[in-house]
Amino acid sequence: MKNKKDIRNEFRLAVFERDKYVCQGTCRHSYHESELDAHHIYNRDLMPGGGYVLENGITLCHDCHELAELMWNKSL
């Protein structure tokens, strides 16, 4: 059985590969893996498997990820 760290890493890499390592936020720039985050689109608690499914991920650079988190928290 895979541990959570392995599941999270596989999720990240799958999202980055699908999005071709391009931020899907407002900047739309290509980045190195270390400069990217795999953002969960929907709350992980509401999804099967903790939300670690490709359809629930989007590639964002650190700046766009921070903006997405701020906007999500603002909507609560």
Side-chain angles (χ1 to χ4, degrees), residues 4-72:
K4 188 171 182 174
K5 183 178 179 180
D6 291 337
I7 293 169
R8 187 179 316 132
N9 193 48
E10 287 178 12
F11 169 75
R12 289 179 77 249
L13 292 177
V15 171
F16 298 161
E17 288 175 13
R18 182 203 58 208
D19 295 339
K20 297 179 177 31
Y21 294 83
V22 174
C23 176
Q24 300 300 300
T26 57
C27 74
R28 299 287 185 174
H29 292 136
S30 294
Y31 289 94
H32 182 270
E33 177 185 327
S34 65
E35 301 171 297
L36 294 171
D37 295 313
H39 177 69
H40 288 88
I41 299 168
Y42 298 105
N43 186 323
R44 292 179 306 198
D45 297 332
L46 304 176
M47 305 267 318
Y52 290 102
V53 293
L54 186 59
E55 298 79 18
N56 192 37
I58 187 170
T59 299
L60 296 175
C61 68
H62 297 312
D63 290 340
C64 287
H65 192 205
E66 186 175 319
L67 181 60
E69 292 290 337
L70 287 171
M71 293 186 68
W72 187 84

